[in-house]
Amino acid sequence: MDKIGTYIVFEGCEGSGKDTQIEMLANVLQWRKKHFIAVAKEPGGTPAGKKFRTFLLNEERVPAIGEVFLFLTDRVVNISSFVIPNLKAGRIVLQNRGPGSTFSYQRASGFEDLNFLKTANLKAMQGVEIDLNILLDIDPRLGFERKKENGIDINSFEARPIEYHEAVRKNYLAQAKDDPVHWAVIDASSSDREAVHKEILKQVSEKLGL
Ligand code: TYD
């Protein structure tokens, strides 16, 4: 794909502050640094994706392979209908969750075939490559405490046992360790969102020159 934009995906356990930090980064890049920004989300960032999202987060649990196919279908639609056109237009796409979530959550759900996951995800990405994954790393217990404080509704993934979320975190950190060029790990345990934001800006500038 001839992409001229930049693709940044935010990852992290529940309650890690992805939405807040995406908004803060978008503001700086747009207003201070004069870039054009598009904000994306998986699952459910597109009109069709909203239907997958409702199913995934509200219906009874499907086997891990079913989760894989559903999230990948949502990804196919997001990449083709939103990400590719925006990258081709030269925008910076900031996205809440993406492949890093699949490799963390579905593996924690018990899907073990890493080679299949890599191949299928590559197809779903349709030639698009992520320039930087920003992992907002947090102990899931702390993340859930924050969610409770903010009174945000719990979906079917969040309702899974804490051991599930601990496995998710471990899988995230392993991905980041394996590919430090395309991952930045940010300590998101601080309640000082400005401090977390500053660290993100530093990494985005160092790794992408933005
Ligand atoms: P959502 O409410 O969007 O979570 P958040 O606001 O924290 O981003 O719920 C999305 C859920 O879907 C989240 O618990 C993680 C899960 N998920 C996967 O299991 N695999 C995936 O590939 C993606 C994109 C999300």
Side-chain angles (χ1 to χ4, degrees):
M1 191 206 117
D2 300 327
K3 102 175 157 71
I4 50 172
T6 305
Y7 192 18
I8 302 174
V9 180
F10 279 70
E11 294 286 355
C13 289
E14 319 296 333
S16 56
K18 296 185 299 304
D19 279 321
T20 308
Q21 292 299 334
I22 287 174
E23 202 183 322
M24 290 170 92
L25 181 62
N27 279 336
V28 170
L29 293 176
Q30 191 159 9
W31 303 114
R32 178 135 52 88
K33 304 201 174 184
K34 305 293 173 210
H35 292 290
F36 291 99
I37 306 294
V39 177
K41 179 171 178 65
E42 288 183 12
T46 61
K50 283 199 173 55
K51 294 179 188 153
F52 303 135
R53 184 185 158 84
T54 308
F55 180 84
L56 271 161
L57 303 187
N58 300 307
E59 296 299 323
E60 86 189 43
R61 193 166 173 171
V62 295
I65 177 72
E67 285 178 20
V68 169
F69 283 127
L70 286 162
F71 282 110
L72 289 179
T73 308
D74 177 72
R75 183 156 307 138
V76 168
V77 178
N78 178 46
I79 293 287
S80 57
S81 70
F82 191 85
V83 176
I84 290 179
N86 277 294
L87 290 177
K88 281 192 169 164
R91 299 189 183 109
I92 296 175
V93 177
L94 300 182
Q95 183 168 307
N96 189 336
R97 297 195 182 281
S101 289
T102 317
F103 285 93
S104 295
Y105 281 78
Q106 276 57 66
R107 294 195 79 197
S109 298
F111 193 80
E112 299 287 356
D113 189 343
L114 188 56
N115 282 336
F116 175 87
L117 211 51
K118 282 186 179 160
T119 309
N121 181 61
L122 213 59
K123 294 269 181 206
M125 294 297 284
Q126 300 159 72
V128 173
E129 286 171 9
I130 297 171
D131 295 294
L132 185 62
N133 291 278
I134 297 178
L135 171 57
L136 300 185
D137 180 49
I138 192 169
D139 179 333
R141 288 172 202 271
L142 181 57
F144 280 118
E145 268 171 37
R146 276 202 200 151
K147 278 216 145 181
K148 257 191 243 154
E149 277 166 21
N150 296 334
I152 301 168
D153 285 348
I154 297 282
N155 66 41
S156 66
F157 275 85
E158 290 156 353
R160 292 180 185 185
I162 195 68
E163 293 74 20
Y164 178 84
H165 295 281
E166 281 166 351
V168 168
R169 183 190 193 193
K170 205 168 122 243
N171 293 341
Y172 268 135
L173 289 168
Q175 287 183 75
K177 195 163 169 237
D178 280 354
D179 185 7
V181 172
H182 296 105
W183 283 80
V185 182
I186 308 282
D187 180 358
S189 58
S190 164
S191 54
D192 181 351
R193 51 179 70 175
E194 277 298 334
V196 176
H197 169 64
K198 276 201 188 123
E199 188 52 36
I200 292 172
L201 275 182
K202 188 167 156 250
Q203 293 284 334
V204 164
S205 151
E206 275 175 20
K207 292 203 169 228
L208 300 172
L210 290 172

